[in-house]
Amino acid sequence: MILASASPRRRELLGLITDDFKVIPATGEENIPEGTSPEDAVRLLAERKAHEIYSANRGEVIIAADTVVAVGGEILGKPRNEKHAAEMLKFLSGRRHSVFTGVCVIFADGSREIFAEETAVDFYPLSEAEIDNYVASGEPMDKAGAYGIQGRGALIVKGIVGDYYNVMGLPVGRLNAALKSRGSL
């Protein structure tokens, strides 16, 4: 089994399902066509990543994922810099947003399963000082929506509706069920 991701969080989460996997990160571009819905975007990106790795590793089970944060259909990616991270957090302050994670599993026989999970996340209203302190911690810089629920970002999350692990970047329960249903565990 191969995880097509460099994310340490995804590696940790896949480890809840199995410790029998290796990591080969996909390196392709993460471009999506204008007007693509967040749900379709994460499915498309996960599928591209999985196919990139499968092409050189046929016969292996490949797992790829992609996560975005969205408000009203507008996708917020990873922040480009600290200023952009602060802008994202200000935009999310006191609001509900959705976290979408798309997963593509290509099984050893070449068949595949692609799905997307959505979790609603509510933020507390954030002061400028709270945003500045969080951005200064460095935590927001490599995360969709500029926060990590599993770290200091937990302090700004008022609540969630849905899969907590989806917000971290891999809906492990649903992935586990997909792998079990195909005899891959």
Side-chain angles (χ1 to χ4, degrees):
M1 189 174 297
I2 298 172
L3 175 62
S5 175
S7 166
R9 290 166 299 285
R10 288 196 182 108
R11 182 180 302 159
E12 176 187 343
L13 293 174
L14 185 55
L16 297 174
I17 298 172
T18 181
D19 59 2
D20 188 17
F21 68 94
K22 56 187 169 182
V23 175
I24 303 176
T27 59
E29 291 289 320
E30 293 193 5
N31 304 358
I32 52 170
E34 186 75 29
T36 303
S37 73
E39 187 172 352
D40 288 343
V42 293
R43 284 184 185 149
L44 174 67
L45 293 172
E47 184 176 20
R48 283 183 190 162
K49 292 174 182 181
H51 281 288
E52 176 189 326
I53 300 305
Y54 184 75
S55 65
N57 296 279
R58 296 191 186 280
E60 299 275 354
V61 175
I62 310 297
I63 299 167
D66 196 82
T67 302
V68 299
V69 168
V71 177
E74 179 185 342
I75 296 173
L76 305 179
K78 294 177 182 176
R80 295 181 299 274
N81 53 43
E82 288 185 354
K83 181 180 181 213
H84 189 221
E87 289 168 0
M88 283 187 189
L89 292 165
K90 185 174 182 178
F91 181 67
L92 295 172
S93 174
R95 298 180 76 173
R96 173 172 281 195
H97 61 275
S98 292
V99 176
F100 292 89
T101 298
V103 177
C104 179
V105 181
I106 302 179
F107 297 95
D109 65 3
S111 64
R112 64 187 181 179
E113 183 168 341
I114 304 169
F115 61 86
E117 189 74 27
E118 178 182 4
T119 302
V121 181
D122 293 314
F123 268 20
Y124 285 105
L126 304 173
S127 69
E128 225 170 286
E130 288 171 311
I131 290 170
D132 290 345
N133 287 336
Y134 185 51
V135 171
S137 77
E139 185 175 281
M141 298 317 300
D142 69 337
K143 295 171 182 68
Y147 74 97
I149 194 169
Q150 72 281 3
R152 290 184 62 199
L155 303 175
I156 62 177
V157 173
K158 185 175 183 180
I160 70 169
V161 178
D163 184 340
Y164 171 81
Y165 295 105
N166 185 57
V167 182
M168 284 181 64
L170 194 66
V172 291
R174 191 161 176 193
L175 175 58
N176 184 61
L179 293 169
K180 282 181 15 185
S181 75
R182 298 292 295 271
S184 293
L185 285 179

